[in-house]
Amino acid sequence: MPDARTRKRWALRRDGQPGRNHPDPPPQSHAAHDLVAAGFHPVVAQLLAQRGAATPDDAKRFLEPRLSHLRDPESLPGCADAARRLAQAVQDQRPVVIYGDYDVDGVTASSILHHTLVALGAAPETYIPHRVDEGYGLNADAVRAIADKSDPARPTLVVTVDCGIASVEPVRIAKERGLEVVVTDHHRFDPENLPSADALVHPGLGEDGEPPDALCGAGVAFKLAWQTLREAHGSPASLPERLRTLLVELVGLAALGTIADIVPLVGENRVLAAVGLARLPSSSLPGVRALMAACNLLGESVDAQHVGFVLGPRLNAVGRMGHAGEAAELLSHAQGERARDLAEGLSKVNNQRRKEERRVLAEALEQIEAQGFLANDRMALLVAGEGWHPGVVGVVASRLVDRYQRPAIVLSINPDTGAAKGSGRSIDGFDLFHALEPHRERMQRFGGHGMAVGLTVDADKVDDLRQAFCAAAGDRLTEADLTPVVRVDLDVEMADCTPALADQLASLAPFGRSNPAPVLRLTGATLAQAPRRMGKSGDHLSLALRSPNGRGGLRAVGFGFGDWAEELREGADIDAVGTLRINEWRGLRSAEFQLTDVRPAMPAENAHAPQPHAAEPRVATPGPI
C-alpha cells in the first residue's frame, strides 16, 4: 500500500471560501444563477462566479481579456516620475543601464525596457548579475563599475527591473557616485527602509497597498515602457503606429515573465498573460521567434503550460548553469544566426540542468531519509551538501515540497568560502519569509516572499538554522497541514462531460495561480472494463468509465497512476477528481477526464476524508522558478 505521504484530502471550494473543507457541493450563487440565465453552461457559470464574475459583463470581461482592460500606467505608483526621467535621459543622449535579474521575470523585464529605449533612439546597456558569483539584486561592486565608466557631464541613469527595492546600500553608493537611479520592483520591502533612488516604481507603494493582482517585474516594466513612450512623444492619448505595434509585441515578453513568476493570473496579470500568449507564436521579435522555433512552437498555439514546462525552463536554465546574460541577449537584440545559436544553446543547457537536478535531488532524498525528516513531528526540511550546483537548489526545493508537502530549504555548501547558499519553497498557509525573518542575524543574505526565499548562511551555522526553521514550522503547522489538499471546484455528472463543456472550460485559461484549471469531482462512476496501463513503462493509467445507470461513457487518464491498474477491477465504482479536456485523435474530438486523484467510491458522508493512492500524480501546472 502507498505510504502516508501520498494521502490527499479533497476539499470543495465555496464562493468566497476557496479550499475550505465542506462535505456538500456548493450551492449555486445568485451570480451563477444570473449567468445561467444569460446563457452560460451551469458548470461554467458556477466557475465564473467563484472567480469573481458577478454579472454577465464581468464574465465577458474575464473570458475576453483585452489590453484596454489594463489600468493606466500613471496609476502605478512612481511610474510617471520614472518615465519622465527615462524619456529625459534619452532626449539628453545620456547612457542608460538596465540592471535586471537572472530569472525569466528579470530577463523579460530587461528586454522590454531594452526594446523600448532602442525604439526611442537610445543605445542602452543591460547588466544581468551572475546568479552564483553576485547573487540577487543590485550589488555594490556592479554599481561602482558602472559609476567608473560614467561621464560626470552626462551621468548614467541606472534603472533596475525585478529587483532593487531592498538594495538600500547599493543605491546609496550609486547616488554618492553621481548616478541617477530608478528602481522598479515588485518584491516585498520594508516601508521604513526604502532605497534613496530618484524614483521608485512598485505596486505596493500606493495608498491602497499592493493589489491582489500585483504585477510581476515584467508587468511593471511593461507599464513603465508604455508610459515612457507616451512621455517621449508628449501624448498620453495616442502613440505612432510603430510604437503601438511594439507595445503589442512586448506583451508577449510580459506574458512569459508573468506566468513564469507565478503571480496571480487575475486582473491585469490575466490580461497580460492571455494577450501575450496569443501573440508569442507570431512574434516579430527575432529572439522570441528563435526561441519558439527551437522549441517547435513557432506558429503553434501556446498556453501557460508551455511557459511553465518548455519556454520558461530554457530561459531559466542558462541563469542557473551559466550566465543569464545570454537569455537577455537573445530576447533583447540577437538576430539571425546568433539568435538561433543562443536559442539552441538554451535547450542544451536545460538538458544539463535537468541532469544535475536529478543528481542533487537523489542525494537530498538520501539525506532526508537518513536524518529522519519524515517523522510526524518534523514539519520542515532543510538539507545541505557540497558539490550541489547552486543553480538547481531552488528547483530541488520545489521538488521536495511537491513530494513531502513540507516547507523545504536546499543549500549548496562551498568548502572554499565556507558559505552555504540556497533557496527555500513553501506550502499554502506557511509564510516562509515571515518564518525566517526573525533569524536574519544567522544569515549573510536573505530575501524573497511568502512562498520562496533565497539565502546565504555560514556553513557552520547550517545546523542552527535547521533547528530554528524546523521549530518555526512546528509552531505554525500541524500534521493536517502536511496532507496535500486537492481543491475541488464542483461536482459533475458523467452526462455533463461533453466536448462542448470541455471547450467552454478551456475558455477560462490561461490557468495558473488564483485561476487554476477547474478541478471537477466525478462521483459514482463505474469501470466499464479492466483498467489498462499506458506508456513504455506502464506508469500511466487508462480507464473506461460508464455511469451507474449504464448511460454514456467517458475515458479517464491518469499520468503516474499506473499502479492503480492492480487495485481496481472491472465493474468497480470509483470517485475521481480531475480536469475535463479535449482529446483529438485522427481528426476526432472527444471529452477526456484527466485524473488528479482517484479512489474507490465512498459513502457521501466520508467523501472528503484523505485516502491513500498508489502514485503521486504529475499534474501539469507550472512549478516555482
Side-chain angles (χ1 to χ4, degrees):
M1 293 298 292
D3 60 42
R5 73 176 176 81
T6 63
R7 294 169 63 86
K8 283 182 165 55
R9 185 172 75 253
W10 298 2
L12 276 170
R13 304 180 197 270
R14 292 175 72 90
D15 291 347
Q17 300 173 318
R20 295 182 65 177
N21 194 2
H22 292 271
D24 301 315
Q28 191 178 69
S29 65
H30 292 298
H33 184 274
D34 291 343
L35 294 177
V36 170
F40 289 92
H41 189 289
V43 171
V44 176
Q46 188 72 24
L47 292 167
L48 284 167
Q50 289 176 353
R51 284 155 172 75
T55 67
D57 285 344
D58 291 340
K60 182 177 180 180
R61 190 181 182 93
F62 185 92
L63 295 173
E64 300 175 9
R66 302 176 184 275
L67 290 180
S68 59
H69 296 163
L70 294 174
R71 292 187 283 270
D72 192 290
E74 286 190 325
S75 67
L76 176 62
C79 187
D81 184 20
R84 283 192 292 270
R85 292 178 179 276
L86 275 174
Q88 190 64 52
V90 173
Q91 181 178 330
D92 296 342
Q93 298 184 326
R94 289 166 45 206
V96 176
V97 175
I98 303 166
Y99 191 105
D101 187 26
Y102 40 67
D103 65 0
V104 179
D105 191 20
V107 167
T108 52
S110 300
S111 301
I112 287 169
L113 282 192
H114 176 92
H115 286 290
T116 301
L117 296 175
V118 168
L120 294 176
E125 293 184 26
T126 298
Y127 189 99
I128 305 291
H130 191 279
R131 178 187 287 266
V132 177
D133 296 341
E134 297 177 271
Y136 170 77
L138 192 64
N139 72 78
D141 288 341
V143 165
R144 295 187 182 99
I146 294 169
D148 287 344
K149 296 191 297 181
S150 182
D151 181 354
R154 295 191 311 127
T156 298
L157 186 153
V158 176
V159 53
T160 73
V161 290
D162 194 36
C163 64
I165 196 68
S167 303
V168 176
E169 181 62 14
V171 171
R172 183 190 67 78
I173 293 172
K175 294 295 296 174
E176 286 182 352
R177 300 291 293 268
L179 301 176
E180 185 176 7
V181 182
V182 170
V183 167
T184 80
D185 203 348
H186 73 111
H187 293 94
R188 284 191 178 183
F189 61 89
D190 179 357
E192 304 300 323
N193 193 29
L194 292 170
S196 57
D198 295 283
L200 291 174
V201 186
H202 193 293
L205 289 173
E207 293 181 0
D208 297 331
E210 197 160 354
D213 59 336
L215 301 164
C216 68
V220 171
F222 178 80
K223 286 292 192 74
L224 178 58
W226 182 3
Q227 185 64 20
T228 300
L229 293 175
R230 289 162 60 169
E231 285 287 339
H233 283 267
S235 173
S238 63
L239 291 171
E241 179 65 26
R242 71 176 182 90
L243 296 183
R244 290 201 302 270
T245 300
L246 173 64
L247 278 175
V248 173
E249 291 288 359
L250 297 183
V251 178
L253 294 174
L256 288 174
T258 297
I259 296 168
D261 216 50
I262 320 180
V263 293
L265 290 189
V266 295
E268 291 197 292
N269 289 329
R270 176 174 172 79
V271 173
L272 292 173
V275 176
L277 285 172
R279 186 63 199 161
L280 283 175
S282 58
S283 175
S284 66
L285 300 178
V288 172
R289 290 186 65 83
L291 177 63
M292 298 290 286
C295 298
N296 297 315
L297 290 175
L298 201 59
E300 300 292 327
S301 179
V302 176
D303 60 23
Q305 292 186 14
H306 289 108
V307 176
F309 291 105
V310 181
L311 299 168
R314 283 166 170 76
L315 292 170
N316 257 326
V318 68
R320 296 183 185 280
M321 306 299 292
H323 199 297
E326 293 184 9
E329 179 187 351
L330 171 66
L331 297 181
S332 296
H333 55 82
Q335 300 193 32
E337 186 175 350
R338 175 58 177 168
R340 288 192 296 272
D341 289 345
L342 284 170
E344 291 171 2
L346 296 189
S347 295
K348 294 177 182 177
V349 173
N350 191 46
N351 290 334
Q352 297 171 7
R353 187 268 307 171
R354 287 189 292 190
K355 182 178 180 181
E356 177 66 9
E357 177 191 320
R358 287 193 293 268
R359 182 185 72 85
V360 174
L361 177 60
E363 294 183 14
L365 294 176
E366 291 178 0
Q367 195 173 125
I368 288 169
E369 297 285 350
Q371 295 184 6
F373 269 112
L374 301 184
N376 290 339
D377 61 343
R378 302 297 291 272
M379 301 296 174
L381 308 171
L382 191 154
V383 292
E386 293 186 9
W388 293 359
H389 197 294
V392 303
V393 293
V395 181
V396 172
S398 296
R399 299 288 181 261
L400 295 179
V401 171
D402 291 343
R403 189 180 184 94
Y404 296 117
Q405 189 62 17
R406 286 166 165 81
I409 294 174
V410 181
L411 301 173
S412 171
I413 298 175
N414 186 331
D416 296 329
T417 64
K421 182 177 181 179
S423 297
R425 300 291 186 268
S426 195
I427 61 174
D428 288 340
F430 184 77
D431 189 315
L432 190 55
F433 184 91
H434 181 72
L436 290 173
E437 192 171 24
H439 307 287
R440 275 182 180 269
E441 74 281 357
R442 303 175 190 267
M443 296 175 272
Q444 298 176 18
R445 300 187 70 174
F446 172 67
H449 50 79
M451 295 300 289
V453 298
L455 64 155
T456 302
V457 61
D458 292 337
D460 59 5
K461 294 181 180 178
V462 168
D463 287 340
D464 290 342
L465 182 63
R466 179 186 288 114
Q467 293 179 15
F469 177 44
C470 290
D475 290 341
R476 293 168 170 81
L477 296 173
T478 66
E479 189 174 350
D481 295 314
L482 307 187
T483 302
V485 178
V486 178
R487 307 294 187 189
V488 181
D489 291 282
L490 290 173
D491 282 340
V492 294
E493 297 179 0
M494 197 172 297
D496 294 319
C497 299
T498 63
L501 177 59
D503 285 333
Q504 290 189 49
L505 293 176
S507 68
L508 300 173
F511 300 122
R513 182 179 167 196
S514 298
N515 184 45
V519 176
L520 309 175
R521 184 176 66 151
L522 190 64
T523 57
T526 300
L527 291 178
Q529 56 187 247
R532 181 170 59 86
R533 284 180 178 266
M534 300 188 305
K536 291 181 180 180
S537 302
D539 293 335
H540 313 308
L541 183 70
S542 176
L543 301 177
L545 305 178
R546 60 175 172 81
S547 59
N549 60 15
R551 299 174 184 171
L554 181 68
R555 180 174 184 253
V557 296
F559 297 104
F561 283 81
D563 289 347
W564 269 105
E566 279 69 51
E567 301 292 331
L568 300 173
R569 295 289 181 268
E570 180 178 354
D573 292 336
I574 65 166
D575 293 338
V577 291
T579 55
L580 188 66
R581 302 173 184 269
I582 288 291
N583 178 50
E584 297 194 32
W585 176 249
R586 295 181 177 177
L588 298 177
R589 302 176 80 250
S590 60
E592 182 176 87
F593 200 77
Q594 184 171 312
L595 296 171
T596 300
D597 202 6
V598 64
R599 63 195 184 193
M602 301 176 63
E605 63 270 18
N606 296 325
H608 299 275
Q611 292 292 310
H613 60 65
E616 197 68 34
R618 293 192 281 273
V619 183
T621 54
I625 293 185

